[in-house]
Amino acid sequence: VRLSTAQICEEMCRKYPAFATDDYLRQVYECALSLIPQAACSAIEMHRYEELARLEELADAATAFAISDGSLSLAVKWIEEGRIIAGARSSQSYSPLDGLRRKYPALAERLLCTIRKLDDDASTSHGYLSDLAVFSQRSKEKAGHRLSLAEEHERILAEIREKRGFEHFLSPKDVAALSPPAKSGPAIMINVHSTRCDALIFHHNRAIEVVPLPLLSSAKAKEFDLQWATGLTSWTPDGRGLALQD
């Protein structure tokens, strides 16, 4: 619910920019991006891969905003969230629960159970009810049931995060926790959005540099992505099939 509300606010801010300040939009993105790891986990486990595409678009939009705002640490943090989602969407075999399943299978099953219950609760409705009093009562019951499920979900997450190695399980990554690139050279991350496209250069001393890419667009990026996928499928041991077209 919180993520859906944040997404609606983000859409309204982009549609009516005159009514949205940068501070307000930053708060919207911070709220939305803090919820993305859990939302992505639910989408993967429930096989709702089209939802992952929307989450990836949200991360791209947030990164573009952070770059425009000069908040480069946030930009690196948010572009990393988008990269993880993109990887999960392309492979469709990875789940954030995989590591937990290997080490604490019972906890993983309990968490997955609440994810399924929350998903089922969100997909059910009362249908048409002519009696407003009955509708109001059932709405209250539904809200109370969902709140109870959400609280159970948070309790399980808290229990998981007490385990060694899972302290930040399904939490957004902190910039300080991101591994700096090797001293032999910087890491380059590219963000593509309809408002702007940029390369973020992450140096080994954690300095961040922005290089605008005005000749890149979402359409061109998708074309390159298709060429790359086609090249991989037609790859041969002699290295043919991987050249991108100009």
Side-chain angles (χ1 to χ4, degrees):
V1 175
R2 286 182 296 166
L3 180 59
S4 298
T5 302
Q7 286 177 303
I8 292 171
C9 289
E10 190 265 344
E11 290 173 4
M12 293 298 291
C13 288
R14 286 193 287 109
K15 190 174 182 179
Y16 304 104
F19 297 95
T21 64
D22 287 346
D23 286 341
Y24 178 75
L25 192 51
R26 186 185 301 104
Q27 291 178 35
V28 169
Y29 281 130
E30 286 177 344
C31 175
L33 271 292
S34 70
L35 300 170
I36 273 186
Q38 293 186 44
C41 179
S42 298
I44 292 167
E45 289 294 331
M46 297 295 104
H47 305 291
R48 297 194 307 267
Y49 296 108
E50 70 286 349
E51 187 173 324
L52 287 177
R54 292 194 291 270
L55 293 176
E56 186 181 350
E57 166 66 19
L58 180 61
D60 292 343
T63 301
F65 167 80
I67 293 172
S68 298
D69 191 53
S71 305
L72 300 187
S73 292
L74 273 180
V76 169
K77 177 179 177 179
W78 290 344
I79 200 173
E80 177 68 7
E81 295 294 341
R83 185 189 66 80
I84 293 172
I85 295 169
R89 189 161 67 93
S90 61
S91 68
Q92 296 191 5
S93 59
Y94 160 80
S95 169
L97 294 187
D98 289 344
L100 187 66
R101 284 190 177 102
R102 287 191 293 270
K103 200 156 187 180
Y104 303 102
L107 270 177
E109 185 56 35
R110 284 173 57 199
L111 181 63
L112 181 57
C113 184
T114 61
I115 289 174
R116 286 170 177 160
K117 288 178 180 178
L118 284 165
D119 188 70
D120 290 342
D121 187 74
S123 61
T124 57
S125 64
H126 300 308
Y128 176 74
L129 293 174
S130 58
D131 190 325
L132 185 59
V134 173
F135 177 80
S136 177
Q137 179 61 30
R138 291 189 182 180
S139 295
K140 290 179 181 178
E141 292 173 356
K142 183 177 177 68
H145 178 63
R146 186 165 184 81
L147 179 60
S148 177
L149 287 175
E151 289 174 344
E152 180 184 357
H153 185 264
E154 290 301 318
R155 283 195 296 270
I156 296 172
L157 280 179
E159 187 176 345
I160 292 170
R161 289 167 182 163
E162 290 177 355
K163 304 296 183 183
R164 185 175 181 180
F166 292 87
E167 293 85 355
H168 304 289
F169 182 72
L170 294 187
S171 297
K173 290 182 179 292
D174 187 76
V175 176
L178 295 177
S179 299
K183 292 185 178 181
S184 58
I188 300 175
M189 299 166 282
I190 296 177
N191 190 66
V192 179
H193 190 253
S194 57
T195 57
R196 63 180 299 157
C197 298
D198 303 270
L200 285 172
I201 304 177
F202 192 21
H203 296 276
H204 66 86
N205 62 354
R206 295 189 179 276
I208 304 169
E209 182 183 354
V210 177
V211 178
L213 303 173
L215 299 182
L216 184 61
S217 66
S218 297
K220 286 184 178 180
K222 289 178 181 178
E223 181 182 345
F224 292 150
D225 186 55
L226 179 61
Q227 289 182 29
W228 177 255
T230 303
L232 286 178
T233 57
S234 60
W235 181 84
T236 58
D238 61 4
R240 296 176 182 175
L242 291 177
L244 298 181
Q245 300 298 318
D246 291 335

